[in-house]
Amino acid sequence: MQILISCAKTMGYVDCTLPYTSQPAFADRAAETVGHLSAMSAEELRDALHTTSKIAAENVLRYRHFFDECNRSVPAIMAYNGIVFKQISADTLDAASLEYAQKHLFITSFLYGLLRPFDEIRAYRLEGNVRLPNEDGPTRFEYWQPLLTDMLIDAVKADDGVLVNLASSEMKRLFDWKRVCKEVKVVTPEFKVMQQGQWRTVVIYTKMCRGQMTRFMLKRQPAVPDELNLFEADIEGVAAVMELK
């Protein structure tokens, strides 16, 4: 099985020993995009990212110094520190689980397209609706869709033909999702928690469960989708259930 998760907006660094590192499949395209972003002013970047002036200013500096030698590259599994990645807790995985991750886990990225966990990347901030090289250019969704669809389908077919989709619904727009679902078997776990006597979808708990299930899969290395039913969420004080769609 191949696993798909989303990148996180926040980036940091987790110290994790890996057997080797790799390069992103679309590193050249990422570099071209950085060239466009580095030419933008703080105000332009703020408006494009729909963020604060402070975050825009931070990312102007990121892009203008993106290729500086002192700007450290970090494997993707260690570079994001959103909720999903905190639950994966890559620094506590054993070597076999990390090796499995490199072969079975994909991380979406608006800058890099699709990443494997050991792919070395640099800190960035980008959104799917940003148009480049100018306001008449394609969004990141439109830019990546024809490139990533084939890459994902080919990888899933080369495995066992099953994709476990643990990414946010937004990330479907990076692919021709109808074609993905037509050509491979897509399993999308949905997580609900008990609140006020009803099962509800709560974003923060969904993200936690996605990260925990990813970790579960990396450690267990399931052979068939039915094994996912053995997953149990570990959220203190919250009862959670999973449905496979």
Side-chain angles (χ1 to χ4, degrees), residues 4-7 26 107-115 124 126-129 139-152 167-177 180:
L4 184 69
I5 64 173
S6 305
C7 59
F26 299 105
I107 303 167
T108 62
S109 168
F110 294 127
L111 179 62
Y112 290 96
L114 272 178
L115 294 164
Y124 68 94
L126 192 55
E127 299 292 342
N129 287 319
T139 65
R140 294 298 86 193
F141 294 116
E142 295 165 344
Y143 176 85
W144 283 118
Q145 189 176 111
L147 297 167
L148 302 189
T149 301
D150 284 335
M151 180 179 179
L152 183 63
S168 63
S169 58
E170 174 188 38
M171 295 303 168
K172 292 179 181 179
R173 296 169 61 192
L174 285 169
F175 311 90
D176 180 344
W177 198 250
V180 172

Side-chain angles (χ1 to χ4, degrees), residues 69-81:
E69 290 186 6
C70 60
N71 189 5
R72 182 178 185 183
S73 295
V74 178
I77 196 68
M78 301 156 56
Y80 299 102
N81 60 8

